[in-house]
C-alpha cells in the first residue's frame, strides 16, 4: 500500500461554493457598470452646465443688443428733434408741438422736456404749452 503524503493544509481548505462564484461574478460585472454610470452622470452634469451657461450668455447678448438698439433709436430721435429750426429761432410753441408729436410716436417715453442751463424747464411735451413748469428735480443727472 502506498502511503499518501501528509498535507494538513488540504484538509483545512473548503471547496469554493457555487454561491460564492455567483456573488463574485455579480460584483465583477457591477463594478465597471457603476464606474461607467458615475462617469456618465458627471459628464452629463458638466454638459448640462455648459449648455445652460451658453444659453444664458446668448440670452444676455440678445438682451444687450435689444437695449442698445432701443437706446440708439431714442438718441437718433432726440438728435433729430434737437436739430429743429424752431428751437434755433426760439419758437418754443412750435417746438412744443413737434415734441408732443414725437412723444406720441414713442410709447415708452413719459415726456420730452427742454430746460435751460439754470435747470428751469421751458418745455414739457406731456403738458400743454404755457403750463407752470418746475425746475429739474434731479440736478445730478441734469
Amino acid at each position: 500500500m502506498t502511503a499518501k503524503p501528509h498535507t494538513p493544509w488540504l484538509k483545512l481548505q473548503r471547496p469554493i461554493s457555487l454561491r460564492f462564484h455567483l456573488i463574485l461574478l455579480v460584483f465583477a460585472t457591477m463594478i465597471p457598470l457603476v464606474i461607467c454610470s458615475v462617469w456618465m452622470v458627471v459628464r452629463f452634469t458638466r454638459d448640462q452646465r455648459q449648455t445652460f451657461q451658453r444659453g444664458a450668455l446668448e440670452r444676455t447678448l440678445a438682451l444687450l443688443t435689444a437695449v442698445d438698439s432701443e437706446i440708439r433709436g431714442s438718441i437718433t430721435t432726440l438728435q433729430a428733434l434737437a436739430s429743429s429750426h424752431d428751437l434755433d429761432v426760439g419758437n418754443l410753441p412750435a417746438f412744443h408741438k413737434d415734441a408732443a408729436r414725437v412723444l406720441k410716436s414713442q410709447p415708452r417715453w413719459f415726456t420730452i422736456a427742454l430746460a435751460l442751463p439754470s435747470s428751469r424747464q421751458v418745455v414739457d411735451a406731456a403738458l400743454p404749452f404755457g403750463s407752470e413748469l418746475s425746475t429739474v428735480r434731479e440736478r445730478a443727472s441734469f
Side-chain angles (χ1 to χ4, degrees):
M1 211 184 220
T2 359
K4 289 187 177 181
H6 186 270
T7 52
W9 57 272
L10 284 177
K11 290 182 182 177
L12 295 176
Q13 189 177 18
R14 294 188 342 201
I16 300 175
S17 69
L18 179 62
R19 182 182 210 168
F20 178 76
H21 281 294
L22 289 175
I23 291 172
L24 188 62
L25 179 64
V26 166
F27 279 122
T29 306
M30 292 294 290
I31 289 174
L33 184 62
V34 168
I35 290 172
C36 182
S37 297
V38 168
W39 180 76
M40 291 296 284
V41 166
V42 168
R43 184 177 173 134
F44 178 76
T45 304
R46 187 183 67 222
D47 290 347
Q48 287 297 315
R49 183 178 297 130
Q50 288 174 348
T51 301
F52 176 78
Q53 287 173 343
R54 191 171 33 250
L57 179 63
E58 289 172 0
R59 286 187 300 277
T60 302
L61 289 175
L63 183 63
L64 286 174
T65 301
V67 168
D68 188 49
S69 175
E70 185 74 27
I71 289 173
R72 285 182 195 272
S74 294
I75 289 172
T76 302
T77 303
L78 290 172
Q79 285 174 335
L81 187 61
S83 67
S84 169
H85 176 67
D86 293 324
L87 191 58
D88 288 339
V89 296
N91 187 355
L92 293 180
F95 177 77
H96 180 272
K97 189 183 223 181
D98 290 342
R101 192 172 345 107
V102 169
L103 183 60
K104 288 179 184 174
S105 72
Q106 302 295 324
R108 292 188 179 103
W109 293 7
F110 295 113
T111 191
I112 298 172
L114 178 64
L116 298 174
S118 64
S119 77
R120 187 174 71 87
Q121 289 187 23
V122 290
V123 172
D124 188 334
L127 300 173
F129 186 76
S131 297
E132 180 85 22
L133 301 176
S134 64
T135 58
V136 175
R137 291 180 188 150
E138 191 181 336
R139 183 82 175 147
S141 67
F142 175 71

